[in-house]
mmCIF file of all heavy atoms in Angstrom:
data_model
loop_
_atom_site.group_PDB
_atom_site.id
_atom_site.type_symbol
_atom_site.label_atom_id
_atom_site.label_comp_id
_atom_site.label_asym_id
_atom_site.label_seq_id
_atom_site.Cartn_x
_atom_site.Cartn_y
_atom_site.Cartn_z
ATOM 1 N N MET C 179 6.298 16.369 43.286
ATOM 2 C CA MET C 179 6.384 17.662 43.985
ATOM 3 C C MET C 179 5.650 17.585 45.326
ATOM 4 O O MET C 179 6.114 18.106 46.339
ATOM 5 C CB MET C 179 5.788 18.774 43.104
ATOM 6 C CG MET C 179 6.617 19.072 41.856
ATOM 7 S SD MET C 179 5.672 19.905 40.540
ATOM 8 C CE MET C 179 5.634 21.577 41.134
ATOM 9 N N ALA C 182 7.605 15.647 47.816
ATOM 10 C CA ALA C 182 8.747 16.405 48.342
ATOM 11 C C ALA C 182 8.360 17.229 49.567
ATOM 12 O O ALA C 182 9.219 17.604 50.361
ATOM 13 C CB ALA C 182 9.303 17.320 47.252
ATOM 14 N N ILE C 183 7.066 17.521 49.744
ATOM 15 C CA ILE C 183 6.664 18.241 50.976
ATOM 16 C C ILE C 183 5.809 17.324 51.864
ATOM 17 O O ILE C 183 5.002 17.788 52.668
ATOM 18 C CB ILE C 183 5.947 19.587 50.665
ATOM 19 C CG1 ILE C 183 4.713 19.390 49.771
ATOM 20 C CG2 ILE C 183 6.906 20.578 50.054
ATOM 21 C CD1 ILE C 183 3.799 20.624 49.748
ATOM 22 N N TRP C 255 2.374 35.097 48.228
ATOM 23 C CA TRP C 255 1.028 34.761 48.704
ATOM 24 C C TRP C 255 0.005 35.755 48.194
ATOM 25 O O TRP C 255 0.244 36.960 48.191
ATOM 26 C CB TRP C 255 0.992 34.716 50.234
ATOM 27 C CG TRP C 255 1.666 33.489 50.766
ATOM 28 C CD1 TRP C 255 2.906 33.419 51.330
ATOM 29 C CD2 TRP C 255 1.166 32.160 50.731
ATOM 30 N NE1 TRP C 255 3.208 32.126 51.649
ATOM 31 C CE2 TRP C 255 2.153 31.320 51.304
ATOM 32 C CE3 TRP C 255 -0.020 31.559 50.280
ATOM 33 C CZ2 TRP C 255 1.996 29.947 51.436
ATOM 34 C CZ3 TRP C 255 -0.170 30.197 50.407
ATOM 35 C CH2 TRP C 255 0.817 29.397 50.979
ATOM 36 N N MET C 269 -1.176 30.268 46.774
ATOM 37 C CA MET C 269 0.197 30.359 46.266
ATOM 38 C C MET C 269 0.207 29.994 44.774
ATOM 39 O O MET C 269 0.002 28.843 44.411
ATOM 40 C CB MET C 269 1.101 29.391 47.038
ATOM 41 C CG MET C 269 2.508 29.250 46.483
ATOM 42 S SD MET C 269 3.423 30.810 46.381
ATOM 43 C CE MET C 269 3.766 31.175 48.095
ATOM 44 N N ARG C 285 13.562 24.611 40.421
ATOM 45 C CA ARG C 285 13.992 25.124 41.729
ATOM 46 C C ARG C 285 13.038 26.226 42.227
ATOM 47 O O ARG C 285 12.847 26.394 43.428
ATOM 48 C CB ARG C 285 15.440 25.621 41.663
ATOM 49 C CG ARG C 285 15.628 26.820 40.820
ATOM 50 C CD ARG C 285 17.065 27.155 40.500
ATOM 51 N NE ARG C 285 17.077 28.101 39.398
ATOM 52 C CZ ARG C 285 16.869 29.407 39.528
ATOM 53 N NH1 ARG C 285 16.700 29.926 40.717
ATOM 54 N NH2 ARG C 285 16.847 30.196 38.481
ATOM 55 N N LEU C 286 12.424 26.981 41.275
ATOM 56 C CA LEU C 286 11.471 28.020 41.691
ATOM 57 C C LEU C 286 10.214 27.367 42.280
ATOM 58 O O LEU C 286 9.700 27.786 43.321
ATOM 59 C CB LEU C 286 11.087 28.904 40.493
ATOM 60 C CG LEU C 286 12.240 29.636 39.799
ATOM 61 C CD1 LEU C 286 11.732 30.412 38.593
ATOM 62 C CD2 LEU C 286 12.924 30.592 40.790
ATOM 63 N N ALA C 287 9.729 26.343 41.580
ATOM 64 C CA ALA C 287 8.533 25.645 42.077
ATOM 65 C C ALA C 287 8.831 24.979 43.422
ATOM 66 O O ALA C 287 7.975 24.936 44.314
ATOM 67 C CB ALA C 287 8.078 24.608 41.061
ATOM 68 N N TRP C 288 10.039 24.481 43.563
ATOM 69 C CA TRP C 288 10.456 23.846 44.825
ATOM 70 C C TRP C 288 10.350 24.852 45.969
ATOM 71 O O TRP C 288 9.803 24.574 47.027
ATOM 72 C CB TRP C 288 11.873 23.302 44.651
ATOM 73 C CG TRP C 288 12.577 22.835 45.878
ATOM 74 C CD1 TRP C 288 13.784 23.240 46.339
ATOM 75 C CD2 TRP C 288 12.118 21.845 46.820
ATOM 76 N NE1 TRP C 288 14.107 22.590 47.507
ATOM 77 C CE2 TRP C 288 13.093 21.721 47.823
ATOM 78 C CE3 TRP C 288 10.966 21.071 46.915
ATOM 79 C CZ2 TRP C 288 12.960 20.853 48.904
ATOM 80 C CZ3 TRP C 288 10.836 20.206 48.000
ATOM 81 C CH2 TRP C 288 11.824 20.098 48.967
ATOM 82 N N ARG C 289 10.831 26.086 45.719
ATOM 83 C CA ARG C 289 10.736 27.143 46.743
ATOM 84 C C ARG C 289 9.272 27.408 47.110
ATOM 85 O O ARG C 289 8.923 27.566 48.261
ATOM 86 C CB ARG C 289 11.314 28.453 46.189
ATOM 87 C CG ARG C 289 12.741 28.665 46.586
ATOM 88 C CD ARG C 289 13.133 30.079 46.183
ATOM 89 N NE ARG C 289 14.289 30.035 45.333
ATOM 90 C CZ ARG C 289 14.660 30.969 44.494
ATOM 91 N NH1 ARG C 289 13.941 32.059 44.333
ATOM 92 N NH2 ARG C 289 15.750 30.855 43.787
ATOM 93 N N ASP C 290 8.417 27.466 46.061
ATOM 94 C CA ASP C 290 6.990 27.750 46.292
ATOM 95 C C ASP C 290 6.355 26.653 47.145
ATOM 96 O O ASP C 290 5.567 26.928 48.053
ATOM 97 C CB ASP C 290 6.231 27.874 44.965
ATOM 98 C CG ASP C 290 6.845 28.939 44.058
ATOM 99 O OD1 ASP C 290 7.626 29.768 44.566
ATOM 100 O OD2 ASP C 290 6.545 28.928 42.849
ATOM 101 N N PHE C 291 6.710 25.404 46.842
ATOM 102 C CA PHE C 291 6.141 24.289 47.605
ATOM 103 C C PHE C 291 6.648 24.294 49.064
ATOM 104 O O PHE C 291 5.903 23.935 49.970
ATOM 105 C CB PHE C 291 6.421 22.950 46.902
ATOM 106 C CG PHE C 291 5.304 22.565 45.948
ATOM 107 C CD1 PHE C 291 4.979 23.372 44.869
ATOM 108 C CD2 PHE C 291 4.558 21.407 46.138
ATOM 109 C CE1 PHE C 291 3.933 23.041 44.006
ATOM 110 C CE2 PHE C 291 3.510 21.072 45.282
ATOM 111 C CZ PHE C 291 3.202 21.888 44.219
ATOM 112 N N LEU C 292 7.889 24.729 49.268
ATOM 113 C CA LEU C 292 8.388 24.827 50.649
ATOM 114 C C LEU C 292 7.599 25.893 51.423
ATOM 115 O O LEU C 292 7.291 25.726 52.603
ATOM 116 C CB LEU C 292 9.874 25.181 50.662
ATOM 117 C CG LEU C 292 10.826 24.018 50.353
ATOM 118 C CD1 LEU C 292 12.275 24.500 50.437
ATOM 119 C CD2 LEU C 292 10.603 22.853 51.311
ATOM 120 N N GLU C 293 7.274 26.993 50.745
ATOM 121 C CA GLU C 293 6.433 28.048 51.343
ATOM 122 C C GLU C 293 5.089 27.472 51.770
ATOM 123 O O GLU C 293 4.574 27.766 52.842
ATOM 124 C CB GLU C 293 6.146 29.137 50.301
ATOM 125 C CG GLU C 293 7.140 30.247 50.245
ATOM 126 C CD GLU C 293 7.046 31.130 51.484
ATOM 127 O OE1 GLU C 293 5.953 31.301 52.040
ATOM 128 O OE2 GLU C 293 8.094 31.621 51.910
ATOM 129 N N VAL C 294 4.525 26.653 50.881
ATOM 130 C CA VAL C 294 3.217 26.044 51.155
ATOM 131 C C VAL C 294 3.324 25.127 52.373
ATOM 132 O O VAL C 294 2.472 25.150 53.271
ATOM 133 C CB VAL C 294 2.729 25.263 49.911
ATOM 134 C CG1 VAL C 294 1.520 24.397 50.229
ATOM 135 C CG2 VAL C 294 2.401 26.234 48.776
ATOM 136 N N LYS C 295 4.397 24.346 52.407
ATOM 137 C CA LYS C 295 4.597 23.428 53.538
ATOM 138 C C LYS C 295 4.660 24.210 54.860
ATOM 139 O O LYS C 295 4.014 23.860 55.849
ATOM 140 C CB LYS C 295 5.895 22.646 53.306
ATOM 141 C CG LYS C 295 6.204 21.646 54.375
ATOM 142 C CD LYS C 295 7.531 20.965 54.070
ATOM 143 C CE LYS C 295 7.861 19.948 55.146
ATOM 144 N NZ LYS C 295 9.157 19.303 54.891
ATOM 145 N N THR C 296 5.446 25.292 54.847
ATOM 146 C CA THR C 296 5.589 26.106 56.056
ATOM 147 C C THR C 296 4.233 26.689 56.487
ATOM 148 O O THR C 296 3.871 26.665 57.654
ATOM 149 C CB THR C 296 6.584 27.265 55.786
ATOM 150 O OG1 THR C 296 7.775 26.691 55.274
ATOM 151 C CG2 THR C 296 6.880 28.064 57.028
ATOM 152 N N ARG C 297 3.482 27.177 55.501
ATOM 153 C CA ARG C 297 2.177 27.779 55.814
ATOM 154 C C ARG C 297 1.212 26.737 56.388
ATOM 155 O O ARG C 297 0.506 27.004 57.358
ATOM 156 C CB ARG C 297 1.597 28.384 54.525
ATOM 157 C CG ARG C 297 0.311 29.155 54.674
ATOM 158 C CD ARG C 297 0.622 30.528 55.240
ATOM 159 N NE ARG C 297 -0.557 31.366 55.314
ATOM 160 C CZ ARG C 297 -0.678 32.554 54.729
ATOM 161 N NH1 ARG C 297 0.317 33.057 54.038
ATOM 162 N NH2 ARG C 297 -1.774 33.269 54.858
ATOM 163 N N LEU C 298 1.213 25.565 55.776
ATOM 164 C CA LEU C 298 0.316 24.507 56.275
ATOM 165 C C LEU C 298 0.688 24.131 57.700
ATOM 166 O O LEU C 298 -0.170 23.951 58.556
ATOM 167 C CB LEU C 298 0.418 23.267 55.369
ATOM 168 C CG LEU C 298 -0.309 23.358 54.023
ATOM 169 C CD1 LEU C 298 0.069 22.185 53.125
ATOM 170 C CD2 LEU C 298 -1.823 23.415 54.213
ATOM 171 N N ARG C 299 1.996 24.032 57.968
ATOM 172 C CA ARG C 299 2.455 23.693 59.340
ATOM 173 C C ARG C 299 1.980 24.756 60.322
ATOM 174 O O ARG C 299 1.480 24.442 61.397
ATOM 175 C CB ARG C 299 3.995 23.677 59.383
ATOM 176 C CG ARG C 299 4.579 22.467 58.751
ATOM 177 C CD ARG C 299 5.332 21.629 59.814
ATOM 178 N NE ARG C 299 5.659 20.324 59.272
ATOM 179 C CZ ARG C 299 6.870 20.010 58.803
ATOM 180 N NH1 ARG C 299 7.847 20.895 58.836
ATOM 181 N NH2 ARG C 299 7.099 18.813 58.310
#
Side-chain angles (χ1 to χ4, degrees):
M179 292 159 78
I183 57 165
W255 286 103
M269 172 57 72
R285 67 192 165 81
L286 301 177
W288 169 235
R289 264 189 236 158
D290 304 343
F291 269 61
L292 282 182
E293 271 290 328
V294 169
K295 181 182 180 182
T296 307
R297 185 78 176 237
L298 284 170
R299 284 244 168 100

